[in-house]
Amino acid sequence: MKMKLATVALSALIAAGPALADLTFPSLSYRTGAYAAGGIPFADGYADYFTLLNERDGGIGGVKANVLECETGYNTEKGVECYESTKGQGALVYQPLSTGITYQLIPKATADGIAIHSMGYGRTSAKNGKVFSNVFNYPANYWDGASGAVNYLLEINGGDIKGKKIALVYHNSAYGKEPIRTLEELSKKHGFELSTLPVDHPGQEQKSQWLQIRRDKPDYVLMWGWGVMNQVAVQEAANIRFPMENFIGIWWSGSENDVLPAGDAANGYKALTFHNVGTDFPLFDDLKKYVIDAGKAAGAGDQVGTVLYNRGLYAAMLAAEAAKKAQEISGKADITAADMRDGMEALEITEAKMAELGLPNFGPTFSVSCENHGGDALVGVTQWDATSKTWSLISDFKPTDGEVIGALIEEDSSAYATENNIAPRCN
């Protein structure tokens, strides 16, 4: 009864005064440390989208959104501390923005009944919603990225890459090792020769790896890098005159930060993506009006439209749409973490929905279900133009190899379920 009275009193307070920031979206950001150049634009984009919803629409379903930022420095231990210190403040969903932090938070958040959205990173087998009830990695994961790269190479080689040599240059961490098993399986299927070259954190020293590439003469180089490692790799590739159009990075190796330092030498470099690039979308007019020009931007406003700003914006858009779906399902505006999880599991992003939001063709269409927490696994390719200093989407969002990836996901998630005594759901 006391709780009911408190709720009534709170409702009266909201009605009488300015709306409270009730829908809390923690942002585990890293504006400091070795990877700050990547963390800052993502955090800005994530915050600015919710600010836009608050300023233009009065929030989500009439309830203001509150972005609760906590600095992790891309450090796993700090990330866990951020989670523990913010989870009791009405947190609806966590974006750990680090594979290491994600792995640590999976059992914690699941036990606490809070959702995790590790968009394009984290534990790939979390796509299996039957085992990972509270983890979502839509619209694409690292194994989709590996397959997307191979499918693109198949496409530009007339469907045949048998005998081709592909080298993987990767960050020597859980993140960087993610695509190896998938690429090994795909090499068996398509007959290409795979070599792997680890690069230790932070990635400034890569001379030996690129000398080996010069010696081995692979047809293509794929990269799973982050931070300064990407810049160094692009420069080293230029130094040995490796054809930039044959060098393809994962989506965390495809921002302006990665190519600008190499100048004209970076021209033609490619990167995978699961969202579009630039500012040529109606939503950016609203962002300028309600957020940037109004002096309410999270940062200096200089990151708007960059690859990683757009990624943060996209992550926020997906979170907001899941919150709307949760409000619709639950029949209430003031949703809980459990409601949010249900909204994420029922999320469907159509082209009509993206157009309605002012983001036509901004990302792939996909739907989520109890069994499938990863979406439809569609991956695109972008290319850098050093003259105009812009990225362009050169290959639309296309299907990846569900047969190979599905088997790997089933194997890995089943092992996780056995180890952790998890009974599969969705029956």
Side-chain angles (χ1 to χ4, degrees):
M1 186 64 187
K2 280 183 181 174
M3 183 63 77
K4 279 187 179 175
L5 287 171
T7 305
V8 170
L10 180 61
S11 299
L13 182 64
I14 292 170
L20 299 178
D22 280 349
L23 300 182
T24 299
F25 298 89
S27 173
L28 300 194
S29 61
Y30 41 96
R31 297 180 179 276
T32 64
Y35 302 97
I40 290 168
F42 186 99
D44 285 355
Y46 194 69
D48 285 354
Y49 187 80
F50 285 113
T51 300
L52 171 64
L53 296 186
N54 285 342
E55 297 301 312
R56 185 192 65 191
D57 307 338
I60 302 170
V63 187
K64 287 288 182 83
N66 171 35
V67 175
L68 191 60
E69 196 165 321
C70 186
E71 175 66 39
T72 71
Y74 198 70
N75 176 281
T76 299
E77 193 177 320
K78 282 186 183 174
V80 173
E81 286 172 6
C82 276
Y83 171 79
E84 294 295 349
S85 66
T86 58
K87 69 179 185 182
Q89 298 182 54
L92 292 177
V93 57
Y94 280 87
Q95 312 258 357
L97 210 55
S98 149
T99 292
I101 296 172
T102 301
Y103 269 75
Q104 290 298 311
L105 292 188
I106 287 172
K108 292 176 179 290
T110 302
D112 293 333
I114 304 172
I116 288 174
H117 185 199
S118 52
M119 183 182 75
Y121 60 92
R123 187 177 191 121
T124 295
S125 63
K127 178 171 182 170
N128 185 355
K130 291 184 287 185
V131 173
F132 296 92
S133 60
N134 284 57
V135 190
F136 300 81
N137 53 13
Y138 51 74
N141 58 56
Y142 285 140
W143 299 351
D144 297 327
S147 174
V150 170
N151 278 3
Y152 175 72
L153 296 182
L154 283 163
E155 189 180 312
I156 63 174
N157 282 282
D160 184 9
I161 52 174
K162 190 172 184 180
K164 296 285 187 187
K165 293 162 78 171
I166 300 176
L168 171 70
V169 176
Y170 68 93
H171 193 279
N172 196 12
S173 63
Y175 150 59
K177 294 171 186 173
E178 274 286 324
I180 295 175
R181 177 79 192 283
T182 308
L183 290 171
E184 287 171 346
E185 291 300 314
L186 291 170
S187 73
K188 292 176 199 170
K189 181 171 181 175
H190 298 292
F192 63 84
E193 185 185 320
L194 176 70
S195 60
T196 57
L197 300 161
V199 174
D200 290 333
H201 162 85
Q204 285 164 313
E205 186 45 63
Q206 298 181 41
K207 291 286 183 198
S208 63
Q209 288 88 345
W210 288 94
L211 283 172
Q212 188 172 333
I213 287 170
R214 187 168 72 177
R215 191 168 56 245
D216 294 348
K217 295 183 171 59
D219 297 285
Y220 300 98
V221 173
L222 305 181
M223 176 162 68
W224 253 248
W226 189 224
V228 72
M229 173 184 162
N230 296 333
Q231 299 174 14
V232 173
V234 171
Q235 187 60 62
E236 291 288 357
N239 292 347
I240 67 164
R241 292 183 170 80
F242 186 81
M244 217 43 86
E245 66 273 12
N246 293 345
F247 190 8
I248 306 172
I250 186 63
W251 35 75
W252 301 110
S253 302
S255 77
E256 290 79 3
N257 303 327
D258 307 323
V259 284
L260 283 171
D264 291 343
N267 190 56
Y269 173 76
K270 295 171 181 172
L272 302 160
T273 188
F274 50 80
H275 60 81
N276 217 320
V277 292
T279 59
D280 193 18
F281 303 91
L283 181 96
F284 283 89
D285 295 334
D286 284 355
L287 263 178
K288 186 174 188 303
K289 177 181 177 182
Y290 292 98
V291 182
I292 314 301
D293 291 351
K296 296 179 185 294
D302 57 341
Q303 298 293 323
V304 177
T306 62
V307 168
L308 293 169
Y309 180 95
N310 281 14
R311 191 161 303 159
L313 188 85
Y314 183 56
M317 181 272 275
L318 295 178
E321 290 309 301
K324 290 178 193 173
K325 177 59 73 173
Q327 289 174 331
E328 178 190 316
I329 294 169
S330 67
K332 58 181 189 284
D334 192 14
I335 56 171
T336 64
D339 296 326
M340 182 68 181
R341 193 217 70 84
D342 292 347
M344 293 174 74
E345 197 167 85
L347 184 64
E348 183 177 9
I349 298 296
T350 62
E351 180 52 37
K353 170 61 70 178
M354 286 189 288
E356 182 189 317
L357 295 171
L359 292 168
N361 193 37
F362 193 77
T365 58
F366 68 91
S367 58
V368 190
S369 67
C370 182
E371 296 83 3
N372 176 8
H373 281 194
D376 296 359
L378 304 177
V379 173
V381 181
T382 58
Q383 187 168 32
W384 177 249
D385 183 325
T387 304
S388 62
K389 294 183 172 58
T390 55
W391 288 96
S392 297
L393 189 67
I394 61 167
S395 176
D396 206 0
F397 307 109
K398 295 181 178 178
T400 49
D401 194 328
E403 186 184 354
V404 168
I405 296 168
L408 292 173
I409 285 173
E410 185 60 39
E411 179 189 318
D412 190 73
S413 57
S414 294
Y416 183 88
T418 302
E419 287 164 19
N420 295 278
N421 201 26
I422 297 170
R425 50 196 283 276
C426 309
N427 297 327

